[in-house]
Amino acid sequence: MLAEGAKRLKERVEERQGLIHRWAHVLLPGMVLALSVAVYNADVDLVRAFQLKVFDQYQRSSPRSWDPEVGVRVLDLDDESLGRLGQWPWPRTQLADLIGRLAGHVRVVAFDMVLPEADRASPREVARGLPASMADVRARLMSLPDSDAVLARAITAAGKAGTSVVMGFSLTPEAGPMPQVKRTVSVSGPDVRPLLPVYKGAVVNRPAIEAALQGNGSINATIDLDGIIRRVSLVFRAEGELVPSLGLEALSLAAGSEQSYMLKSVGGSGERVLRGDAGIVALRIPAPEGALLIPTDYTGAVWLHYAGSQAPRTVPAWKVFEKGFDPASLGGGILFVGTSAAGLKDLRATPLNPTAAGVELHAELAEQVMTGHYLERPDYAESLEKYFFIGLGLLLIALMRRLGAVWCAVLTAATVGASIWLSWRAFNGDFFGKRLLFDPVLPSLVVVAVYISSSLIGYLRNEAEKRQVRGAFSRYMSPDLVEQLAKDPSRLKLGGEMREMTLMFSDIRGFTTISEQFDAHGLTAFINRYLTPMTQLVLDHKGTIDKYMGDCVMAFWNAPLDNPNHVVDACRAALAMRRDLKALNEVWRAEAESEGRKYIPIHAGIGLNSGPCCVGNMGSDMRFDYSVLGDDVNLASRLEGQSKSYGVDIVIGPKTRDAAPGFASLELDLIRVKGKTVPVHIFTLLGDEALAADPAFKALEEKHSRLLAAYRGQRRDEAEGLLKDCSAQAEAQGLGLAKLYHLYEDRLAACRAEPPAPDWDGVFTATTK
């Protein structure tokens, strides 16, 4: 009886196993399809990012055509304008002069900026900084017109001349003052404020300026997870109120509107969407010549179809102040004022340009609205994409056993190709008269995954048979090799990953002269005595030795294991190497004296730099090493080479210095290293936090910064005086900077003998590595 029961149980188990085996070609691809639907519905960031990259590629392949007749221009406070007219921020009187020159030539001047602080050049601000002994001067300065009032009067005068002036405010999540709204935003339909992020305060313009403006809008950017701006929000939520954007205010004033904006939401005026029961559909700008209706996504943002940077669209600000300037170049419509200067940090990433001027985004929006050129992601797009891959996935599962892998592959390829073609046509406006965004890639990838999983079942069945054969021959292979490959097969593959790393190069100076003292055995012993403690210091500070190149050590931090403090650890390692080398020199001095040979002190230069690098197994299929590659690796090597030129032990790059601000460091130069075209600021690392906190070092640091500023500004008398003070202070502190200051002494003398051009940028071009 017991044996018969066991037999029936075994038959049931085998029956179930056979059932799973027979239906595996449906179960596995079905699970893949179900998982894909779940991930798609969950709105996973990775999926969304991939989708946006597809749309970016469409933009790069077919950017919007730019029409110069639209009348939208950008007045650029570029580097040349700042060089000609003065550094930013400009005095309010200069801005007032600019507005006066523009008044009557354009309909709207929109400043992509905020003026929240008092004008440092204002007579009253200057007066406040004077001592009590200059009371008469202070009184005369205080009686002069306030700079904010001068600018406010210029704004008012421009409005009377037919040119409205708009400025921005920056909303913040922290509580603070609220902007003065010129035109309110009302909602036709259910309340949409819960859909928008809440801002509790703002950085606003000075009261007198803000009161005089004809328009006031937010300059906050809508940035996607990957840092790229693809949409521009028209409205924002400031506490319980809706406020317009800078671009919206400019468009409204250009259209001659003085009325409130109207947001159309789902459920209002018969509006319906498939996405859900809440959201924004469009924004209406009432205007004398006909209202403008701007389609938006459910958050009130507009997808930008970029035309990209256009030279005729941009007018350098300095030209406005030139005699004979032709106002016709301003377009006569909307003039956005902003900056492309990298130092003012208003560069934004777009699908067409990773460093576009932020002001161009407002211009792109205005051009699209004024031409009726819109790019839309329909509310039904996600549902259409999902049902597409569900339907085709089920069809493939049903046909795989009947048609086989080859014909199903043909069907899959044809369907994927058709979806990409249709999506491209929709993007170019070939359907319904609208430019629509549909993602063909993610649904196609799901279909491909279903096909692969279906094909995988047949492959696994064949592999199960081959596994029996492999098992019979495994005894003839090395057990160690089998074990290694079984644990990590990827060890025999090339590959790498991008990491933020810190790189070190350390090299003995004058090694050729030193090596002449030794025979081969002695030289080997000497270099090993040097490299062993230096290596140990790198390892003690969580670094990884990359390689030895004669007397040079190359090391890096933050790989293969993560180290969030990699910059600090690298700096401490460099300082420790410098410290222990001094102790080694004392030992070598004693040995040289006892052996009766000449003692040559050992000096080493160290270069540190931080940045993104590719790290991993690199080499050939026969041999490879765990190493690192990248532009920042090359820069670290160049920095080490410059240590001798400046007479310092440790040279660090700007990213390293910024990531380790607590250490004692001084700027060496603005240098264009050999093999590079872009100059970089380089620094010397002198000590740790204790030295950085020393009042004497702080005083030297302040004077040293003034010295470099005077040198680059060609104020040679001032620079020479500061040079003497810095040299004396550095010598008193024993910092070993004599060669550095002699170098600048020679440069100043050369500048006196042969002064550089007025537009000299202060960059030194290195001719050696």
Side-chain angles (χ1 to χ4, degrees), residues 522-536:
L523 182 60
T524 301
F526 165 77
I527 198 66
N528 288 343
R529 288 185 65 188
Y530 167 75
L531 292 176
T532 298
M534 299 299 110
T535 298
Q536 190 60 49

Side-chain angles (χ1 to χ4, degrees), residues 750-764:
C751 289
R752 283 196 180 278
E754 189 175 346
D759 60 348
W760 176 58
D761 57 6
V763 175
F764 173 74

Side-chain angles (χ1 to χ4, degrees), residues 5 16 31 49 101 131 139 212 234 249 454 486 554 564-565 593 728 745:
R16 290 180 181 177
M31 291 172 60
R101 293 171 182 268
L234 299 182
E249 285 282 81
S454 296
M554 177 181 173
N565 298 317
E593 291 175 355
E745 184 178 0

Side-chain angles (χ1 to χ4, degrees), residues 11-318:
E11 289 175 351
R12 279 199 220 85
V13 171
E14 291 177 348
E15 181 181 355
R16 290 180 181 177
Q17 290 177 342
L19 186 63
I20 294 175
H21 184 76
R22 286 194 300 272
W23 289 96
H25 69 284
V26 174
L27 293 176
L28 181 59
M31 291 172 60
V32 170
L33 186 59
L35 179 62
S36 301
V37 173
V39 170
Y40 199 84
N41 288 337
D43 201 24
V44 177
D45 289 343
L46 180 62
V47 173
R48 203 59 54 212
F50 190 90
Q51 192 175 71
L52 293 174
K53 294 299 182 184
V54 175
F55 298 155
D56 291 348
Q57 186 56 50
Y58 281 175
Q59 296 238 26
R60 287 189 286 269
S61 300
S62 180
R64 177 173 58 84
S65 298
W66 183 70
D67 184 2
E69 300 301 323
V70 175
V72 176
R73 297 291 187 273
V74 170
L75 190 66
D76 188 9
L77 309 181
D78 57 2
D79 288 316
E80 185 175 1
S81 297
L82 299 179
R84 287 170 176 254
L85 304 176
Q87 295 183 347
W88 187 261
W90 287 349
R92 301 284 195 270
T93 52
Q94 191 169 357
L95 290 176
D97 184 20
L98 174 63
I99 292 174
R101 293 171 182 268
L102 299 175
H105 299 301
V106 292
R107 301 194 66 176
V108 178
V109 178
F111 287 86
D112 182 21
M113 59 187 69
V114 190
L115 303 175
E117 299 173 349
D119 184 3
R120 292 177 298 178
S122 171
R124 296 184 181 181
E125 290 299 314
V126 174
R128 292 188 181 97
L130 296 177
S133 60
M134 303 179 68
D136 293 342
V137 177
R138 291 179 61 183
R140 287 196 296 269
L141 288 173
M142 293 297 288
S143 66
L144 295 176
D146 179 68
S147 295
D148 288 349
V150 172
L151 179 56
R153 286 196 295 269
I155 293 171
T156 302
K160 293 179 180 179
T163 297
S164 301
V165 179
V166 183
M167 284 192 180
F169 53 82
S170 179
L171 295 169
T172 64
E174 298 82 16
M178 284 296 174
Q180 185 181 117
V181 178
K182 305 296 181 177
R183 271 160 291 281
T184 59
V185 181
S186 57
V187 181
S188 173
D191 189 10
V192 297
R193 287 176 296 179
L195 298 174
L196 305 177
V198 180
Y199 294 97
K200 298 182 179 180
V203 179
V204 299
N205 292 289
R206 300 274 289 178
I209 299 172
E210 190 176 45
L213 294 171
Q214 288 83 32
N216 199 20
S218 169
I219 59 175
N220 294 69
T222 303
I223 304 176
D224 288 321
L225 291 174
D226 57 359
I228 295 177
I229 298 178
R230 300 175 178 88
R231 296 170 296 151
V232 173
S233 295
L234 299 182
V235 292
F236 299 85
R237 180 181 176 183
E239 284 290 358
E241 300 299 323
L242 295 175
V243 297
S245 68
L246 177 78
L248 184 58
E249 285 282 81
L251 284 165
S252 177
L253 289 168
S257 174
E258 296 293 337
Q259 303 178 39
S260 299
Y261 304 105
M262 178 66 69
L263 274 180
K264 302 182 71 176
S265 64
V266 177
S269 302
E271 298 292 341
R272 293 289 183 271
V273 296
L274 297 179
R275 183 183 180 95
D277 57 359
I280 302 171
V281 177
L283 184 142
R284 183 176 180 271
I285 302 176
E289 297 181 4
L292 297 174
L293 189 64
I294 307 173
T296 71
D297 66 7
Y298 78 105
T299 65
V302 175
W303 286 85
L304 292 181
H305 188 186
Y306 285 92
S309 299
Q310 303 289 332
R313 178 204 279 158
T314 303
V315 179
W318 64 267

Side-chain angles (χ1 to χ4, degrees), residues 395-412 451:
L395 182 63
L396 281 175
I397 293 173
L399 295 178
M400 181 62 74
R401 291 293 291 269
R402 294 186 179 183
L403 300 181
V406 175
W407 282 108
C408 284
V410 173
L411 174 62
T412 301
Y451 167 78

